[in-house]
Amino acid sequence: MTKNRRRSKAASSHDASTPESAALKDSVGCVSQGDMSPVSLCQAVLRKQLTEGMSTYRNSEKGTYLGEGLHQEERQLLDLLRRTATSGESNSVLVIGSRGSGKSKLIKHVIAELLLDDHIRENLLQVHLNGLLQTDDRIALTEITRQLKLENTLGDKVFGSFSETLQFLLEALKSGDQSSKPILFLLDEFDLFAHHKNQTLLYNLFDVAQSAQAPICVVGITCRLDVIELLEKRVKSRFSHRQIHLFNSQTFEDFIVIFKKLLCLDVNFPDQKFAESWNLQVEQLAKDPTITDILRQQFEFTKDVRALQQLLMYPVCQLSEMSPSLSVSDFVESRKLITMDSKSAMLHGVSILELCLIIAMKHLTEIYEGEPFNFEMVYSEYSKFAQRKSSMQVFEKAVVLKAFEHLIHLELVRTVDGAGSRVQKEYRLMQMLIHPTQILDALQKYPQCPTDVRQWAASSLAT
Amino acid sequence: KSSTCVTPKIPDRCEPLSSPSNVLEEARTRLHVSAVPDSLPCRETEFEDIFNFVESKILDGTGGCMYISGVPGTGKTATVHEVVRALHRATEQEELPGFKYIEINGMKLTEPRQAYVQMLQQLSNQKATPDHAADLLNKKFTTPGPRKETIVMLADELDLLWTRKQDVMYNIFDWPSHRHARLVVLAVANTMDLPERIMMKRVSSRLGLTRMTFQPYTFKQLQEIVISRMKGLKAFEEDAIQLAARKVAAVSGDARRALDICRRATEIAENLSPSKTKLSLVGMSHVNAALQEMFSSPKVVAMRTASDQEKIFLRAVVAEFQRCGLEEAEFAKIYIQHTALCRIDGLKPPSTTEMARVCARLGSVRLLLVEHGRNDLQMRVRLNVSQDDVLYALKEKSGV
């Protein structure tokens, strides 16, 4: 934390040029800033800010980004890790929270805080594992030995078998005691580790944490609330049942604060005058009724900060020399893009014949109350309409079948009993995956839709 | 053979550890599960039984089996280790002939047949493939040899040594019955009826009838365990220990849990105490907070902090369940309920894409159990919490 404070002080006094430019490069990334106008530089900074969330030093400085509620969790985790690092106490903890609630961010932040201490930085060994990469125990074990640099003790010997690796690792951990270096195991996507055979890895890690061997701290990260129930009883007994829960508990006011923070430029921006006027503009935007309305709608759907970042990305990307400020209409557009119904959008792209088939299927589903139908039924429904009521061309059966298959490929229609059934394709039972309201919506916007098709769709029970 | 000589090692830390500086830290080190005391309180009779069994076998120079069962955290492995320590002490004082102790753990093996490799390595420091190791062990145990000392073996997590042919279990229980083997096997597992349930007749008959069951700790025993670890240290109020013991005894009787709760309570007390120098005792409130943390279900809080649409979706699921009387509903039906509920609340009903997003989010935290998203409208949805919990969580919020 002291380093950050120093950095911000240097930036405000404008004397030392090196830390300032380093900080800037840090926030802009690899983009060279010499030949850039303030607008494009601002765009680059904001894009970075939106993809990575807030830069870490910023949130340790102001401390509000993680939300006031998270300070307690942060302190609890920090205390726990610090005790492992300094007094050699073994621990295990699970961090649980829904997707996008800042679990990894919290842990990254805590570790960064922990490593500021020189003693801890020299002593602490870290092992990062991810349930999506280490899909079974064998891979996980080789990864652990690699990250602990244990293979050096045997020269560059490649391990023979899985069991040898396990014995080797357990031996190594058993030979350690309180005086050996503490190890921090971070298991991301922890619930996937619980699906490994016999949960051998988890048992062994927790067992080491509960016995007088090398001091380790096992931190599991997961989004499943019921993850404890996945553990086998002896694994569960060895787990210390410490759980840190993260919830998106912010109110709408907090949400607006986050919105402002995501868009504001910080003190390290080279053109201070531009930054000031920009921040003023963001302040005004936050008070704009249209923007608050959009934010409220977004807030009603999800309090997830990551979704908010996605919402803000479109307006930021629209910035250019021509339009150097964020416009309200871009926010409206962005919200529209996010909430667009994918099925209705897909229906705009189908041909009139396919649309007729969909309407025929809609009628069939309504008449038979959700019972599955087959192609012959759809075809007879369609030909009844095409011959009697419409002025349209009546297509041959083969053409209609082709259109029907196209709908299956788009997954607007689904076979009831899997693709592998041996029934002829005309008689295969199907179900529609479009809701009637979506069809009516799509028809409203369909370009040049014939009137009789529209009427046919509106008549509830076609006879 | 050569690779086993090199002992891998975690590097040592740069400077020595800081020793505990205050009472609560001292208490925490003592309360850690790894700080196993020299003699386990409340397991004296079990200790006697196992000790006498093994001692008599060693004195007679015969072999035998014993099956020990009990739920996790009742001190099975710790008691056996204590027995072995006591026997070693007796040998040092030359009251007993010497013996060799080996240990295998089913959970620490990648597959059951690796047990042979482990046994061989611990007995003679040889390395071999499972088949070869089995042959060597067989030869060693069945033919008369110059070997004099008895072998005491602990087979922990026995149920994981199960194979379809049960050859590993069979061999482990068969070898002690040979005249020249002089092998004492202490088999440890969780379930009491394991021999009858999964073993074949010929395996369970070789296991014999020497059984022992470790009962879950009662609250008095748990209390005694914590007090014995706290001997000579004034860190806890009496009632606080009793509360922790009673709660744990009511749930599982797992000693690890009781120790973990007490340890967490010391942390809470340290955080809440006014200054670093003047620490308060760990009281009822601290233990209660720790219990809350470790036993409470977060689902109600998760539902309360969900966004508005997610709450409406949960209400729609409950409404649909009540309408059709089943515990499972199709996504399309819930969609209808959801739009109706949105209209009542005066909100704009969402599109199906957004609804599917909401549903997936609730499914990922396992408040709902959902099928694969590919089924789309026909996706079946179930609740992972009880309907009452949903109503309770959502009602309280709207009342505020």
Side-chain angles (χ1 to χ4, degrees), chain B residues 338-350:
Chain B
H338 189 114
T339 35
L341 283 175
C342 277
R343 295 224 168 85
I344 293 171
D345 287 6
L347 296 168
K348 188 167 161 265

Side-chain angles (χ1 to χ4, degrees), chain B residues 29 81 99 156-157 164 171 214 240 261 335 349 368:
Chain B
T29 17
H81 283 164
F99 69 97
D156 214 344
E157 313 291 3
R164 211 141 47 93
N171 277 333
F214 278 62
I261 285 172
Y335 178 65
L368 297 178

Side-chain angles (χ1 to χ4, degrees), chain A residues 162-177:
Chain A
F162 177 30
S163 57
E164 266 175 73
T165 324
L166 179 67
Q167 294 313 325
F168 177 79
L169 189 69
L170 291 177
E171 195 102 333
L173 290 171
K174 209 186 275 176
S175 71
D177 54 9

